[in-house]
Amino acid sequence: MGYEAPMTAASGTAAAPVAGPIARFFSVIPGARAPQRAGRDAYGTLPIRAYRHCEAVTSAAAFGWHLFPPMDMEFVWDGGTTVNWTYDGAEGWYPLRVAQFPDFAAHFDAHAPADVQGFSPTFLAALTEPGVVQIWTGLVARTAPGWNLLLRPPANAPRDLGYEQYEGVVETDRWFGPIFTNIRLCRTGQPVRLQAGFPLIQAQPVQRATLTDAVLESMEVVEGLDAWGGAEWDAFRHTLVRPNTDPNRRPGAYAAESRRDRKRLDSPHGGD
């Protein structure tokens, strides 16, 4: 099924319809977990009260797709220039400089054209910055024209305090290459473990037009309450005053209204 892209904020004109999916993920490491649609429960980690009543949190958790590490692995950083790594079934710990996924280079060469053999993507690399490791997901991605992927940590899911994760926007509509992330190890002398069963990245679709100066500079700051007009005060009454003065107020009104809007947009007729 194709997707008719909405009006672009930068141009004010409707974007051309997209034939096919917005994002296509190519999984090339045998046995690696496939990407999946992110869920509103943040991969089962949200408290039940947030899941039931906080639409802002659940919408953010569901925005995009979860990408997983291709296997369980661990890293130990000495606080200086040395990172060691291992994985389940390995014979021990290995100093990390550049590493291929086990047995993948031969698998890649067996399937690649002759002029591409020997160019299998690097699985792990210790970067120049101390404690920073680049991790390939085993995926290559292609997005529809005008769409990019924002790669970031899974939204609203608990994070291992042993590392921090960089975010990045990749122009996957024109750049066909490995989808990876960079992490900065924060804990020294103790293993930091990544699990293949828990998402490493949340990939979110963004239109390139939203990254332009025309959009990002289109911002205004209104100082002081004296600048509010009748429209702002009426909107504030609707959002905050009326719900809190209604003795018959039902919790979750914002969430219910948002769900109705989402169902309307997801219907075959869209917003018509």
Side-chain angles (χ1 to χ4, degrees):
M1 176 181 290
Y3 177 86
E4 186 169 340
M7 181 178 293
T8 62
S11 65
T13 59
V18 172
I22 291 293
R24 179 175 282 116
F25 294 99
F26 298 83
S27 181
V28 298
I29 291 180
R33 185 163 189 160
Q36 66 184 54
R37 170 76 187 273
R40 296 173 62 81
D41 61 354
Y43 212 67
T45 64
L46 274 187
I48 188 63
R49 193 164 68 91
Y51 178 73
R52 293 182 59 184
H53 299 300
C54 191
E55 182 67 18
V57 168
T58 56
S59 292
F63 177 34
W65 305 280
H66 282 155
L67 314 183
F68 299 82
M71 67 175 178
D72 295 342
M73 65 193 100
E74 294 184 57
F75 303 94
V76 170
W77 178 42
D78 70 351
T81 59
T82 301
V83 174
N84 293 312
W85 80 289
T86 190
Y87 57 93
D88 293 351
E91 296 181 356
W93 289 84
Y94 307 102
L96 178 60
R97 294 178 181 85
V98 175
Q100 285 278 336
F101 189 88
D103 303 319
F104 179 72
H107 174 81
F108 181 88
D109 288 349
H111 293 81
D115 62 319
V116 184
Q117 293 174 12
F119 287 89
S120 60
T122 298
F123 174 45
L124 300 174
L127 303 188
T128 302
E129 296 76 12
V132 178
V133 176
Q134 185 176 98
I135 304 168
W136 179 38
T137 58
L139 302 170
V140 177
R142 173 75 80 195
T143 46
W147 289 86
N148 299 162
L149 287 180
L150 169 59
L151 306 177
R152 62 194 319 180
N156 297 326
R159 303 180 187 179
D160 188 328
L161 298 181
Y163 68 91
E164 296 177 347
Q165 195 165 349
Y166 292 90
E167 300 188 12
V169 177
V170 184
E171 296 181 2
T172 40
D173 58 342
R174 67 171 185 84
W175 188 83
F176 188 70
I179 297 299
F180 60 82
T181 189
N182 294 334
I183 66 171
R184 181 195 298 116
L185 299 171
C186 303
R187 190 162 57 219
T188 60
Q190 296 181 350
V192 172
R193 184 173 180 85
L194 301 181
Q195 295 178 291
F198 195 84
L200 176 64
I201 297 173
Q202 189 149 336
Q204 299 176 328
V206 292
Q207 286 190 292
R208 185 178 300 150
T210 62
L211 304 175
T212 62
D213 289 341
V215 171
L216 298 178
E217 292 181 1
S218 181
M219 186 270 289
E220 180 182 13
V221 177
V222 180
E223 295 283 357
L225 289 173
D226 290 341
W228 285 22
E232 286 76 29
W233 285 116
D234 284 344
F236 189 81
R237 289 187 188 97
H238 175 77
T239 301
L240 199 66
V241 178
R242 290 174 186 167
N244 284 285
T245 56
D246 181 0
N248 299 314
R249 175 192 179 191
R250 297 179 62 184
Y254 173 88
E257 184 176 347
S258 296
R259 285 193 290 268
R260 285 194 297 270
D261 285 345
R262 188 167 60 251
K263 289 179 180 178
R264 177 175 56 83
L265 292 173
D266 285 339
S267 72
H269 302 291
D272 297 338

